[in-house]
Amino acid sequence: MNERDERLELERFALRIRIGIVEAIAAKGGGHIGGTLDLAEFLSVLYLRFLRVRPEEPDWAGRDYLVCSKGHSGPALYSALALQGFFPYELLRTLNRGGTTLPGHCDRTKVPGIDATTGSLGQGLSIACGLAMGTRLSHTDQKVFCILGDGELGEGQNWEAAAFAAHHGLESLTAVLDWNKMQIDGSNDEVLRLGDPVEKFKAFGWDAELVDGKDVLAIRDAVSRAYRRKGRPGLIVLDTVKGGNIPCIQELPNNHCIGVPAQLADRAMEFLRSEAKRLGVEVAE
Ligand SMILES: Cc1ncc(C[n+]2csc(CCOP(=O)(O)OP(=O)(O)O)c2C)c(N)n1
């Protein structure tokens, strides 16, 4: 496949992930939409091109793992998992409602394809370290990915895990930072300055690189390098915008966890439909 078609296919899947997120959160009337939408391009690349998983056998022991440490972004993974056939797409509309099997935050015991229960920020990287250590002890080539939030990095446990992973040379571990520069109460610079995450993780002994979080081919190349990396853990910093480039969500002063009334959902869907037209994706009315 040439690069143009490759980009198109990955962007189309990212768009479908975004549509699933908006439909799910709008059906509930609101939720963690900002930092969820911005993961679409990364998840498109990971699920379409790399992650070795089996939708018909989610607990397959030979799978690659994905821990979403910022568990409030679960709906992004749910949308990708539904599109990949882990469970019926219609379930997305039950997100976070009474009796649902799709809680707002990632839940390994309820959602096929979710590898770690998260939501209390700061714990996922430690879980991922444990999984990576497991792959080493069992001599497999499985990979472990861990999605982190930049606000989440204010939790000290991350830095203990970062030191542990470097000390043990956990080469199967790749952390992916959603660097949208915003958290719940404002920007990182206002709440707790993170500085340059690439330099910070390098100082801990990791490989680390910055990638445009919208550029599916750049993400593809970074993930490809992650699959080949030897000797040390790696960090991919996704340079993103909170709100996933949907203008009416992105422009809100705080889009972390918001009510999504029908009017806002309609505006978001109108934009996504225009994107679908541009990319040649069929969307149900
Ligand atoms: C231990 C813990 N403290 C506080 C919270 C409340 N909380 C939920 S999301 C959030 C902000 C997270 O910001 P960030 O990691 O940047 O997420 P993103 O902006 O990417 O959604 C906070 C403080 C929590 N879930 N867990």
Side-chain angles (χ1 to χ4, degrees), residues 217-246:
L217 296 187
I219 297 171
R220 175 203 62 184
D221 293 345
V223 177
S224 174
R225 283 189 285 278
Y227 268 81
R228 286 177 275 124
R229 194 188 52 246
K230 297 283 177 215
R232 52 174 71 194
L235 174 75
I236 298 171
V237 177
L238 299 173
D239 191 2
T240 56
V241 178
K242 195 157 173 169
N245 297 295
I246 298 182

PDB file of all heavy atoms in Angstrom, residues 217-246:
ATOM      1  N   LEU A 217       0.949   8.674  10.129  1.00  0.00           N
ATOM      2  CA  LEU A 217       2.148   8.000   9.611  1.00  0.00           C
ATOM      3  C   LEU A 217       3.332   8.194  10.551  1.00  0.00           C
ATOM      4  O   LEU A 217       4.146   7.277  10.741  1.00  0.00           O
ATOM      5  CB  LEU A 217       2.494   8.505   8.200  1.00  0.00           C
ATOM      6  CG  LEU A 217       1.449   8.190   7.118  1.00  0.00           C
ATOM      7  CD1 LEU A 217       1.974   8.580   5.740  1.00  0.00           C
ATOM      8  CD2 LEU A 217       1.041   6.719   7.129  1.00  0.00           C
ATOM      9  N   ALA A 218       3.413   9.378  11.165  1.00  0.00           N
ATOM     10  CA  ALA A 218       4.483   9.594  12.151  1.00  0.00           C
ATOM     11  C   ALA A 218       4.269   8.682  13.354  1.00  0.00           C
ATOM     12  O   ALA A 218       5.230   8.114  13.904  1.00  0.00           O
ATOM     13  CB  ALA A 218       4.497  11.058  12.592  1.00  0.00           C
ATOM     14  N   ILE A 219       3.019   8.519  13.754  1.00  0.00           N
ATOM     15  CA  ILE A 219       2.721   7.618  14.875  1.00  0.00           C
ATOM     16  C   ILE A 219       3.073   6.176  14.483  1.00  0.00           C
ATOM     17  O   ILE A 219       3.691   5.436  15.250  1.00  0.00           O
ATOM     18  CB  ILE A 219       1.232   7.713  15.282  1.00  0.00           C
ATOM     19  CG1 ILE A 219       0.900   9.125  15.774  1.00  0.00           C
ATOM     20  CG2 ILE A 219       0.898   6.694  16.358  1.00  0.00           C
ATOM     21  CD1 ILE A 219      -0.591   9.377  16.002  1.00  0.00           C
ATOM     22  N   ARG A 220       2.691   5.813  13.259  1.00  0.00           N
ATOM     23  CA  ARG A 220       3.015   4.460  12.777  1.00  0.00           C
ATOM     24  C   ARG A 220       4.520   4.190  12.857  1.00  0.00           C
ATOM     25  O   ARG A 220       4.964   3.135  13.333  1.00  0.00           O
ATOM     26  CB  ARG A 220       2.539   4.305  11.323  1.00  0.00           C
ATOM     27  CG  ARG A 220       2.921   2.989  10.694  1.00  0.00           C
ATOM     28  CD  ARG A 220       2.943   3.089   9.185  1.00  0.00           C
ATOM     29  NE  ARG A 220       3.942   4.058   8.718  1.00  0.00           N
ATOM     30  CZ  ARG A 220       4.128   4.408   7.450  1.00  0.00           C
ATOM     31  NH1 ARG A 220       3.360   3.886   6.516  1.00  0.00           N
ATOM     32  NH2 ARG A 220       5.068   5.281   7.111  1.00  0.00           N
ATOM     33  N   ASP A 221       5.323   5.160  12.432  1.00  0.00           N
ATOM     34  CA  ASP A 221       6.772   4.955  12.432  1.00  0.00           C
ATOM     35  C   ASP A 221       7.306   4.839  13.858  1.00  0.00           C
ATOM     36  O   ASP A 221       8.197   4.042  14.141  1.00  0.00           O
ATOM     37  CB  ASP A 221       7.465   6.109  11.698  1.00  0.00           C
ATOM     38  CG  ASP A 221       7.124   6.096  10.206  1.00  0.00           C
ATOM     39  OD1 ASP A 221       6.616   5.057   9.725  1.00  0.00           O
ATOM     40  OD2 ASP A 221       7.346   7.119   9.534  1.00  0.00           O
ATOM     41  N   ALA A 222       6.735   5.634  14.767  1.00  0.00           N
ATOM     42  CA  ALA A 222       7.192   5.573  16.171  1.00  0.00           C
ATOM     43  C   ALA A 222       6.821   4.228  16.799  1.00  0.00           C
ATOM     44  O   ALA A 222       7.617   3.632  17.530  1.00  0.00           O
ATOM     45  CB  ALA A 222       6.576   6.730  16.963  1.00  0.00           C
ATOM     46  N   VAL A 223       5.622   3.755  16.506  1.00  0.00           N
ATOM     47  CA  VAL A 223       5.208   2.465  17.089  1.00  0.00           C
ATOM     48  C   VAL A 223       6.030   1.329  16.468  1.00  0.00           C
ATOM     49  O   VAL A 223       6.425   0.375  17.161  1.00  0.00           O
ATOM     50  CB  VAL A 223       3.694   2.225  16.911  1.00  0.00           C
ATOM     51  CG1 VAL A 223       3.288   0.859  17.441  1.00  0.00           C
ATOM     52  CG2 VAL A 223       2.892   3.321  17.622  1.00  0.00           C
ATOM     53  N   SER A 224       6.341   1.463  15.209  1.00  0.00           N
ATOM     54  CA  SER A 224       7.179   0.462  14.552  1.00  0.00           C
ATOM     55  C   SER A 224       8.552   0.399  15.229  1.00  0.00           C
ATOM     56  O   SER A 224       9.086  -0.685  15.494  1.00  0.00           O
ATOM     57  CB  SER A 224       7.308   0.833  13.071  1.00  0.00           C
ATOM     58  OG  SER A 224       8.210  -0.017  12.444  1.00  0.00           O
ATOM     59  N   ARG A 225       9.108   1.567  15.546  1.00  0.00           N
ATOM     60  CA  ARG A 225      10.393   1.589  16.259  1.00  0.00           C
ATOM     61  C   ARG A 225      10.241   0.944  17.640  1.00  0.00           C
ATOM     62  O   ARG A 225      11.134   0.248  18.112  1.00  0.00           O
ATOM     63  CB  ARG A 225      10.906   3.030  16.413  1.00  0.00           C
ATOM     64  CG  ARG A 225      11.507   3.593  15.145  1.00  0.00           C
ATOM     65  CD  ARG A 225      12.211   4.931  15.394  1.00  0.00           C
ATOM     66  NE  ARG A 225      11.305   6.056  15.582  1.00  0.00           N
ATOM     67  CZ  ARG A 225      10.725   6.740  14.585  1.00  0.00           C
ATOM     68  NH1 ARG A 225      10.972   6.434  13.333  1.00  0.00           N
ATOM     69  NH2 ARG A 225       9.911   7.741  14.848  1.00  0.00           N
ATOM     70  N   ALA A 226       9.087   1.161  18.268  1.00  0.00           N
ATOM     71  CA  ALA A 226       8.857   0.593  19.605  1.00  0.00           C
ATOM     72  C   ALA A 226       8.892  -0.939  19.541  1.00  0.00           C
ATOM     73  O   ALA A 226       9.404  -1.595  20.452  1.00  0.00           O
ATOM     74  CB  ALA A 226       7.523   1.075  20.161  1.00  0.00           C
ATOM     75  N   TYR A 227       8.349  -1.500  18.472  1.00  0.00           N
ATOM     76  CA  TYR A 227       8.344  -2.972  18.337  1.00  0.00           C
ATOM     77  C   TYR A 227       9.755  -3.521  18.144  1.00  0.00           C
ATOM     78  O   TYR A 227      10.014  -4.682  18.406  1.00  0.00           O
ATOM     79  CB  TYR A 227       7.418  -3.411  17.188  1.00  0.00           C
ATOM     80  CG  TYR A 227       6.002  -3.689  17.674  1.00  0.00           C
ATOM     81  CD1 TYR A 227       5.101  -2.657  17.872  1.00  0.00           C
ATOM     82  CD2 TYR A 227       5.592  -4.987  17.969  1.00  0.00           C
ATOM     83  CE1 TYR A 227       3.812  -2.901  18.341  1.00  0.00           C
ATOM     84  CE2 TYR A 227       4.316  -5.250  18.439  1.00  0.00           C
ATOM     85  CZ  TYR A 227       3.429  -4.205  18.620  1.00  0.00           C
ATOM     86  OH  TYR A 227       2.163  -4.461  19.102  1.00  0.00           O
ATOM     87  N   ARG A 228      10.669  -2.685  17.669  1.00  0.00           N
ATOM     88  CA  ARG A 228      12.038  -3.167  17.395  1.00  0.00           C
ATOM     89  C   ARG A 228      13.037  -2.778  18.487  1.00  0.00           C
ATOM     90  O   ARG A 228      14.169  -3.252  18.483  1.00  0.00           O
ATOM     91  CB  ARG A 228      12.521  -2.618  16.044  1.00  0.00           C
ATOM     92  CG  ARG A 228      11.846  -3.311  14.865  1.00  0.00           C
ATOM     93  CD  ARG A 228      12.269  -2.732  13.539  1.00  0.00           C
ATOM     94  NE  ARG A 228      11.477  -1.553  13.185  1.00  0.00           N
ATOM     95  CZ  ARG A 228      11.971  -0.355  12.902  1.00  0.00           C
ATOM     96  NH1 ARG A 228      13.244  -0.130  12.959  1.00  0.00           N
ATOM     97  NH2 ARG A 228      11.174   0.646  12.581  1.00  0.00           N
ATOM     98  N   ARG A 229      12.621  -1.917  19.417  1.00  0.00           N
ATOM     99  CA  ARG A 229      13.546  -1.376  20.408  1.00  0.00           C
ATOM    100  C   ARG A 229      14.107  -2.469  21.309  1.00  0.00           C
ATOM    101  O   ARG A 229      13.412  -3.385  21.701  1.00  0.00           O
ATOM    102  CB  ARG A 229      12.819  -0.325  21.247  1.00  0.00           C
ATOM    103  CG  ARG A 229      13.726   0.561  22.093  1.00  0.00           C
ATOM    104  CD  ARG A 229      12.925   1.444  23.023  1.00  0.00           C
ATOM    105  NE  ARG A 229      11.979   0.648  23.787  1.00  0.00           N
ATOM    106  CZ  ARG A 229      10.662   0.735  23.665  1.00  0.00           C
ATOM    107  NH1 ARG A 229      10.119   1.595  22.842  1.00  0.00           N
ATOM    108  NH2 ARG A 229       9.873  -0.050  24.353  1.00  0.00           N
ATOM    109  N   LYS A 230      15.409  -2.367  21.614  1.00  0.00           N
ATOM    110  CA  LYS A 230      16.058  -3.345  22.493  1.00  0.00           C
ATOM    111  C   LYS A 230      16.658  -2.646  23.704  1.00  0.00           C
ATOM    112  O   LYS A 230      17.151  -1.526  23.610  1.00  0.00           O
ATOM    113  CB  LYS A 230      17.204  -4.062  21.744  1.00  0.00           C
ATOM    114  CG  LYS A 230      16.749  -4.878  20.551  1.00  0.00           C
ATOM    115  CD  LYS A 230      16.137  -6.188  21.000  1.00  0.00           C
ATOM    116  CE  LYS A 230      15.604  -6.980  19.817  1.00  0.00           C
ATOM    117  NZ  LYS A 230      14.396  -7.719  20.115  1.00  0.00           N
ATOM    118  N   GLY A 231      16.637  -3.315  24.824  1.00  0.00           N
ATOM    119  CA  GLY A 231      17.463  -2.936  25.972  1.00  0.00           C
ATOM    120  C   GLY A 231      16.876  -1.936  26.950  1.00  0.00           C
ATOM    121  O   GLY A 231      17.336  -1.848  28.083  1.00  0.00           O
ATOM    122  N   ARG A 232      15.889  -1.158  26.520  1.00  0.00           N
ATOM    123  CA  ARG A 232      15.340  -0.152  27.429  1.00  0.00           C
ATOM    124  C   ARG A 232      13.866   0.134  27.100  1.00  0.00           C
ATOM    125  O   ARG A 232      13.425  -0.089  25.970  1.00  0.00           O
ATOM    126  CB  ARG A 232      16.147   1.140  27.371  1.00  0.00           C
ATOM    127  CG  ARG A 232      16.348   1.674  25.975  1.00  0.00           C
ATOM    128  CD  ARG A 232      17.025   3.030  25.992  1.00  0.00           C
ATOM    129  NE  ARG A 232      18.428   2.945  26.390  1.00  0.00           N
ATOM    130  CZ  ARG A 232      19.168   3.980  26.738  1.00  0.00           C
ATOM    131  NH1 ARG A 232      18.644   5.180  26.753  1.00  0.00           N
ATOM    132  NH2 ARG A 232      20.430   3.847  27.071  1.00  0.00           N
ATOM    133  N   PRO A 233      13.141   0.648  28.085  1.00  0.00           N
ATOM    134  CA  PRO A 233      11.748   1.025  27.808  1.00  0.00           C
ATOM    135  C   PRO A 233      11.697   2.284  26.944  1.00  0.00           C
ATOM    136  O   PRO A 233      12.694   3.010  26.839  1.00  0.00           O
ATOM    137  CB  PRO A 233      11.183   1.311  29.210  1.00  0.00           C
ATOM    138  CG  PRO A 233      12.369   1.696  30.026  1.00  0.00           C
ATOM    139  CD  PRO A 233      13.543   0.955  29.465  1.00  0.00           C
ATOM    140  N   GLY A 234      10.547   2.542  26.354  1.00  0.00           N
ATOM    141  CA  GLY A 234      10.434   3.708  25.475  1.00  0.00           C
ATOM    142  C   GLY A 234       9.173   4.511  25.762  1.00  0.00           C
ATOM    143  O   GLY A 234       8.170   3.991  26.254  1.00  0.00           O
ATOM    144  N   LEU A 235       9.274   5.791  25.446  1.00  0.00           N
ATOM    145  CA  LEU A 235       8.136   6.697  25.596  1.00  0.00           C
ATOM    146  C   LEU A 235       7.850   7.365  24.258  1.00  0.00           C
ATOM    147  O   LEU A 235       8.762   7.896  23.620  1.00  0.00           O
ATOM    148  CB  LEU A 235       8.438   7.778  26.641  1.00  0.00           C
ATOM    149  CG  LEU A 235       7.371   8.878  26.774  1.00  0.00           C
ATOM    150  CD1 LEU A 235       6.134   8.366  27.512  1.00  0.00           C
ATOM    151  CD2 LEU A 235       7.933  10.104  27.507  1.00  0.00           C
ATOM    152  N   ILE A 236       6.590   7.317  23.852  1.00  0.00           N
ATOM    153  CA  ILE A 236       6.150   8.110  22.703  1.00  0.00           C
ATOM    154  C   ILE A 236       5.297   9.245  23.257  1.00  0.00           C
ATOM    155  O   ILE A 236       4.283   8.999  23.911  1.00  0.00           O
ATOM    156  CB  ILE A 236       5.316   7.259  21.720  1.00  0.00           C
ATOM    157  CG1 ILE A 236       6.157   6.106  21.149  1.00  0.00           C
ATOM    158  CG2 ILE A 236       4.754   8.134  20.596  1.00  0.00           C
ATOM    159  CD1 ILE A 236       5.352   5.094  20.332  1.00  0.00           C
ATOM    160  N   VAL A 237       5.744  10.464  23.033  1.00  0.00           N
ATOM    161  CA  VAL A 237       4.970  11.620  23.491  1.00  0.00           C
ATOM    162  C   VAL A 237       4.119  12.087  22.311  1.00  0.00           C
ATOM    163  O   VAL A 237       4.649  12.527  21.288  1.00  0.00           O
ATOM    164  CB  VAL A 237       5.899  12.763  23.963  1.00  0.00           C
ATOM    165  CG1 VAL A 237       5.069  13.978  24.368  1.00  0.00           C
ATOM    166  CG2 VAL A 237       6.773  12.299  25.119  1.00  0.00           C
ATOM    167  N   LEU A 238       2.814  11.974  22.465  1.00  0.00           N
ATOM    168  CA  LEU A 238       1.901  12.433  21.413  1.00  0.00           C
ATOM    169  C   LEU A 238       1.572  13.893  21.657  1.00  0.00           C
ATOM    170  O   LEU A 238       0.991  14.242  22.694  1.00  0.00           O
ATOM    171  CB  LEU A 238       0.590  11.636  21.454  1.00  0.00           C
ATOM    172  CG  LEU A 238       0.656  10.130  21.248  1.00  0.00           C
ATOM    173  CD1 LEU A 238      -0.732   9.531  21.500  1.00  0.00           C
ATOM    174  CD2 LEU A 238       1.141   9.790  19.852  1.00  0.00           C
ATOM    175  N   ASP A 239       1.986  14.733  20.727  1.00  0.00           N
ATOM    176  CA  ASP A 239       1.659  16.156  20.826  1.00  0.00           C
ATOM    177  C   ASP A 239       0.213  16.319  20.348  1.00  0.00           C
ATOM    178  O   ASP A 239      -0.068  16.198  19.156  1.00  0.00           O
ATOM    179  CB  ASP A 239       2.633  16.933  19.932  1.00  0.00           C
ATOM    180  CG  ASP A 239       2.552  18.420  20.154  1.00  0.00           C
ATOM    181  OD1 ASP A 239       1.776  18.856  21.026  1.00  0.00           O
ATOM    182  OD2 ASP A 239       3.270  19.154  19.446  1.00  0.00           O
ATOM    183  N   THR A 240      -0.699  16.538  21.297  1.00  0.00           N
ATOM    184  CA  THR A 240      -2.128  16.533  20.964  1.00  0.00           C
ATOM    185  C   THR A 240      -2.805  17.823  21.426  1.00  0.00           C
ATOM    186  O   THR A 240      -2.226  18.631  22.158  1.00  0.00           O
ATOM    187  CB  THR A 240      -2.856  15.355  21.650  1.00  0.00           C
ATOM    188  OG1 THR A 240      -2.615  15.449  23.048  1.00  0.00           O
ATOM    189  CG2 THR A 240      -2.392  14.019  21.116  1.00  0.00           C
ATOM    190  N   VAL A 241      -4.058  17.945  21.017  1.00  0.00           N
ATOM    191  CA  VAL A 241      -4.900  19.053  21.476  1.00  0.00           C
ATOM    192  C   VAL A 241      -6.097  18.433  22.177  1.00  0.00           C
ATOM    193  O   VAL A 241      -6.756  17.551  21.620  1.00  0.00           O
ATOM    194  CB  VAL A 241      -5.374  19.908  20.286  1.00  0.00           C
ATOM    195  CG1 VAL A 241      -6.288  21.026  20.772  1.00  0.00           C
ATOM    196  CG2 VAL A 241      -4.192  20.473  19.528  1.00  0.00           C
ATOM    197  N   LYS A 242      -6.366  18.878  23.394  1.00  0.00           N
ATOM    198  CA  LYS A 242      -7.484  18.282  24.134  1.00  0.00           C
ATOM    199  C   LYS A 242      -8.796  18.667  23.462  1.00  0.00           C
ATOM    200  O   LYS A 242      -9.076  19.841  23.251  1.00  0.00           O
ATOM    201  CB  LYS A 242      -7.438  18.754  25.594  1.00  0.00           C
ATOM    202  CG  LYS A 242      -8.311  17.926  26.513  1.00  0.00           C
ATOM    203  CD  LYS A 242      -7.839  18.021  27.953  1.00  0.00           C
ATOM    204  CE  LYS A 242      -8.778  17.347  28.900  1.00  0.00           C
ATOM    205  NZ  LYS A 242      -8.226  17.200  30.252  1.00  0.00           N
ATOM    206  N   GLY A 243      -9.565  17.667  23.120  1.00  0.00           N
ATOM    207  CA  GLY A 243     -10.792  17.916  22.376  1.00  0.00           C
ATOM    208  C   GLY A 243     -10.718  17.307  20.988  1.00  0.00           C
ATOM    209  O   GLY A 243     -11.663  17.404  20.204  1.00  0.00           O
ATOM    210  N   GLY A 244      -9.564  16.686  20.711  1.00  0.00           N
ATOM    211  CA  GLY A 244      -9.436  15.859  19.514  1.00  0.00           C
ATOM    212  C   GLY A 244      -9.745  16.565  18.219  1.00  0.00           C
ATOM    213  O   GLY A 244     -10.212  15.955  17.258  1.00  0.00           O
ATOM    214  N   ASN A 245      -9.466  17.855  18.158  1.00  0.00           N
ATOM    215  CA  ASN A 245      -9.639  18.590  16.907  1.00  0.00           C
ATOM    216  C   ASN A 245     -11.073  18.640  16.397  1.00  0.00           C
ATOM    217  O   ASN A 245     -11.305  18.838  15.214  1.00  0.00           O
ATOM    218  CB  ASN A 245      -8.690  18.033  15.831  1.00  0.00           C
ATOM    219  CG  ASN A 245      -7.246  18.221  16.240  1.00  0.00           C
ATOM    220  OD1 ASN A 245      -6.771  19.341  16.361  1.00  0.00           O
ATOM    221  ND2 ASN A 245      -6.568  17.134  16.533  1.00  0.00           N
ATOM    222  N   ILE A 246     -12.032  18.478  17.304  1.00  0.00           N
ATOM    223  CA  ILE A 246     -13.422  18.813  16.944  1.00  0.00           C
ATOM    224  C   ILE A 246     -13.626  20.242  17.441  1.00  0.00           C
ATOM    225  O   ILE A 246     -13.639  20.482  18.659  1.00  0.00           O
ATOM    226  CB  ILE A 246     -14.430  17.860  17.619  1.00  0.00           C
ATOM    227  CG1 ILE A 246     -14.186  16.426  17.153  1.00  0.00           C
ATOM    228  CG2 ILE A 246     -15.858  18.293  17.303  1.00  0.00           C
ATOM    229  CD1 ILE A 246     -15.158  15.411  17.729  1.00  0.00           C
TER     230      ILE A 246
END
